[in-house]
Amino acid sequence: MEEKLCSGEHPHHDFKNFALDYDVLYDLSEFFKVFGDSTRISIIAVLYKEGELCVCDIAAALGASQSAISHQLRILRTAGLVKPRRLGKTICYSLDDAHVEEIYKVGLEHSLHK
């Protein structure tokens, strides 16, 4: 006997013209995976709060090695979440744009409201 998933006692949506762009959803999923690492989200948090910082300041703030922070910054930069700026021999990093700030802020607010 076929099991019904719905009692049918409410209006149902017509999905005839509904389509998902799976390539876009895949890219979105990959984008959110970058946020899934505690070191990377900590870097984003520090940059959100403090603004532009060099690698050694980020490492000091997080109690991590400069090489570990550099590795994670490379991933964040590739994902378009942080941007570098050269100041002489030093490279400083900041959040890429207001979108990244907003994503972090909304995620934080959601986590705190539980």
Side-chain angles (χ1 to χ4, degrees):
M1 178 176 203
E2 186 177 320
E3 186 178 327
K4 287 182 98 175
L5 298 177
C6 179
S7 67
E9 296 173 4
H10 59 274
H12 289 91
H13 295 277
D14 177 8
F15 291 106
K16 290 178 190 167
N17 296 320
F18 181 77
L20 293 173
D21 186 331
Y22 288 101
D23 290 335
V24 171
L25 292 176
Y26 177 82
D27 290 344
L28 182 61
S29 149
E30 292 299 307
F31 173 78
F32 279 113
K33 281 182 187 177
V34 176
F35 285 90
D37 177 87
S38 60
T39 302
R40 289 192 291 266
I41 200 69
S42 296
I43 292 169
I44 290 170
V46 168
L47 295 176
Y48 177 82
K49 185 173 183 199
E50 301 296 329
E52 186 177 70
L53 295 171
C54 66
V55 175
C56 58
D57 284 343
I58 297 168
L62 301 180
S65 71
Q66 289 185 33
S67 63
I69 296 302
S70 292
H71 174 72
Q72 297 303 332
L73 282 166
R74 192 172 321 115
I75 294 168
L76 290 167
R77 190 177 64 221
T78 300
L81 298 176
V82 300
K83 62 184 174 188
R85 184 170 73 97
R86 183 172 289 281
L87 295 172
K89 293 182 179 182
T90 303
I91 298 178
C92 292
Y93 290 87
S94 62
L95 297 181
D96 187 69
D97 60 21
H99 293 114
V100 179
E101 292 177 14
E102 187 67 17
I103 292 164
Y104 171 76
K105 187 174 115 181
V106 169
L108 180 62
E109 288 171 357
H110 181 73
S111 294
L112 294 174
H113 100 77
K114 290 183 191 178

